[in-house]
Amino acid sequence: MAFETAPIINALRRVLPEARGPYHLSEPHLQGKEWSYVKDCLDSGWVSSVGKYVDRFEQELAQYTSAGHAVVTVNGTAALHVALVLAGVVADDEVLVPALSFVATTNTVAYCHAVPHFVDCDESTLGVDAHAVDEYLADIARVKDGLCINRHSGRIIRALVVMHTFGHPADLDALSDLCEKYCLQLVEDAAEALGSRYKGRHVGHHGCLGALSFNGNKIITTGGGGAILTDDARVARHAKHLTTTAKLPHPWRFDHDEIAYNYRMPNLNAALGCAQLQELPQKLEQRLRLHQAYEQALAGLEGVTLVKEVEHCRSNHWLQAIALDNDDEETLQDFLAECHRQGILARPAWTLQNRLPMYQQAPSMPTFTAERLSRQLVNLPSSVILGEEV
Ligand SMILES: *Cc1c(COP(=O)(O)O)cnc(C)c1O
């Protein structure tokens, strides 16, 4: 049977009435104390790299996520970069990363002068497939003296980065076991997943380190920003040091004890973060309500499946996604073109990382599931404001 676009778009119209478009994917929503906190920064002159909102935002994030510690950064990419450095990733290591992810996941490995090694994802969680990676590593790697060595390249495989796609938690128990078995550091790219839980526990601190993002399109925003999460106080202190030029405390001397980064989050942005974090419970509710509206609208419809939470997981429902039953590129492009013509600014998932020109030569396991999903997945308009209206 030929794939029919019209019934799907008609169903989406019940959530996205024609009169109100165009519908963007995920817009910032600033309805809390943002004005008053930012005004406080301006009035006090504390707009830049230190100030009370930075400390406060870090404390509130640690509390909300129940991670022992949060260190805020200039963006999520910087947070992930430093998380990898602290996980011990050094030049010429290999780091396992999902082929299905945003480019920052892979770029941060390259910033460490390490080699990304791509792995496949699981159909239901959209996160790294622990079982498939286990079989793959059994074949290509060996563990010796507490290190995982790639038999083909001879390099150390130091870490596995997992990503919680669109806010849906990856299977963290299975992935933690995998990392233990192969002596890998587990790092979570939780950029999309603030508010998401795996077996009741907030994501981002199941491994040694995790990274959050507060970019404009994420579930809460600081304009631009990110955070490193860890349960380890020593790692957290080092994270703060590495993101603030490794300056030794002194009233006037400029002494620095290692090569570090100027990745700190300005106080202005942290002020936005404090205000936004207060609104997070409502934002989660509204995103859930929107998800349920899509669920209702698409119920019983052929040719399409809404991506849903798997057992034991609470998604923040940051980005709503459907998978088209047809997995050919032409169907996907036609569907997206029709959506855009009608003011529904839907997007495909990312081009797979192992297809990008700078990473085509990097090692990769077969990524059949990721490849198929990249021809099926479509992100739908997911802004908080839509959840208020449905
Ligand atoms: C948004 C995002 C990042 C990077 O965050 P920035 O704050 O934009 O640097 C990293 N990984 C994933 C999966 C993301 O979605």
Side-chain angles (χ1 to χ4, degrees):
M1 195 181 74
F3 187 84
E4 287 198 72
T5 299
I8 301 176
I9 296 190
N10 288 342
L12 296 179
R13 277 278 171 239
R14 275 183 245 150
V15 185
L16 312 167
E18 193 155 5
R20 281 206 237 118
Y23 292 98
H24 295 271
L25 221 55
S26 180
E27 293 178 89
H29 186 256
L30 305 154
Q31 304 284 318
K33 299 222 171 93
E34 288 84 356
W35 267 110
S36 93
Y37 290 176
V38 168
K39 183 171 185 305
D40 181 36
C41 288
L42 298 178
D43 289 345
S44 66
W46 291 96
V47 294
S48 189
S49 46
V50 283
K52 65 178 183 190
Y53 288 108
V54 171
D55 298 337
R56 180 174 153 188
F57 191 35
E58 288 181 341
Q59 279 159 20
E60 290 176 357
L61 277 172
Q63 200 164 34
Y64 180 80
T65 58
S66 70
H69 309 270
V71 173
V72 293
T73 57
V74 70
N75 57 49
T77 307
L80 192 58
H81 178 196
V82 169
L84 289 174
V85 170
L86 289 171
V89 175
V90 293
D92 292 325
D93 282 351
E94 290 181 17
V95 177
L96 303 175
V97 290
L100 183 72
S101 189
F102 178 57
V103 71
T105 319
T106 318
N107 280 343
T108 49
V109 172
Y111 298 164
C112 297
H113 305 282
V115 177
H117 189 150
F118 297 105
V119 295
D120 204 5
C121 66
D122 173 79
E123 158 112 54
S124 59
T125 64
L126 309 181
V128 170
D129 183 336
H131 180 71
V133 175
D134 188 3
E135 285 191 343
Y136 177 64
L137 288 179
D139 188 34
I140 68 120
R142 69 190 158 92
V143 175
K144 196 178 164 232
D145 302 331
L147 293 171
C148 184
I149 313 288
N150 179 335
R151 287 182 218 258
H152 301 300
S153 66
R155 288 185 291 245
I156 296 168
I157 306 177
R158 187 78 62 180
L160 166 69
V161 182
V162 303
M163 198 275 282
H164 306 300
T165 311
F166 312 143
H168 293 280
D171 188 358
L172 284 166
D173 278 352
L175 292 161
S176 300
D177 290 348
L178 178 77
C179 285
E180 204 158 310
K181 177 171 173 187
Y182 289 98
C183 300
L184 302 170
Q185 297 286 342
L186 174 63
V187 175
E188 289 174 74
D189 179 347
E192 309 187 345
L194 180 66
S196 299
R197 289 168 190 277
Y198 180 83
K199 297 191 175 166
R201 184 156 173 247
H202 198 286
V203 300
H205 61 112
H206 287 247
C208 54
L209 292 135
L212 298 173
S213 166
F214 313 114
N215 189 34
N217 62 346
K218 297 299 200 299
I219 194 147
I220 69 167
T221 184
T222 56
I228 300 162
L229 299 180
T230 177
D231 287 327
D232 185 324
R234 195 184 47 83
V235 171
R237 270 196 305 278
H238 201 181
K240 193 68 179 178
H241 197 57
L242 273 183
T243 52
T244 56
T245 70
K247 184 179 176 299
L248 300 175
H250 191 278
W252 55 82
R253 289 176 62 97
F254 288 100
D255 281 326
H256 307 259
D257 62 356
E258 61 183 313
I259 297 175
Y261 308 92
N262 178 16
Y263 279 173
R264 55 175 103 231
M265 175 185 282
N267 199 42
L268 256 183
N269 302 74
L272 276 177
C274 289
Q276 287 266 292
L277 195 56
Q278 288 168 5
E279 305 291 303
L280 182 57
Q282 289 94 297
K283 290 182 201 296
L284 290 171
E285 246 170 67
Q286 283 151 355
R287 299 243 176 193
L288 176 61
R289 206 173 319 143
L290 179 62
H291 179 73
Q292 289 163 343
Y294 276 125
E295 194 171 7
Q296 245 173 26
L298 295 169
L301 204 68
E302 284 189 20
V304 65
T305 315
L306 184 66
V307 175
K308 293 186 191 158
E309 283 169 343
V310 297
E311 226 190 326
H312 309 305
C313 289
R314 288 308 299 262
S315 171
N316 64 0
H317 291 294
W318 170 59
L319 276 194
Q320 311 291 334
I322 51 175
L324 305 180
D325 287 0
N326 271 27
D327 63 359
D328 60 285
E329 189 63 33
E330 203 184 322
T331 301
L332 176 69
Q333 295 308 323
D334 288 352
F335 181 77
L336 289 166
E338 189 52 32
C339 284
H340 278 245
R341 243 193 312 279
Q342 300 205 27
I344 299 173
L345 305 182
R347 302 274 296 267
W350 313 274
T351 298
L352 293 189
Q353 298 298 293
N354 49 0
R355 297 274 177 126
L356 298 176
M358 60 286 195
Y359 297 125
Q360 266 172 17
Q361 304 304 318
S364 179
M365 72 182 271
T367 52
F368 298 122
T369 305
E371 272 161 43
R372 185 167 43 72
L373 283 169
S374 76
R375 296 188 303 266
Q376 292 182 287
L377 287 172
V378 174
N379 285 123
L380 298 174
S382 305
S383 301
V384 157
I385 191 81
L386 297 171
E388 282 180 353
E389 287 163 359
V390 292

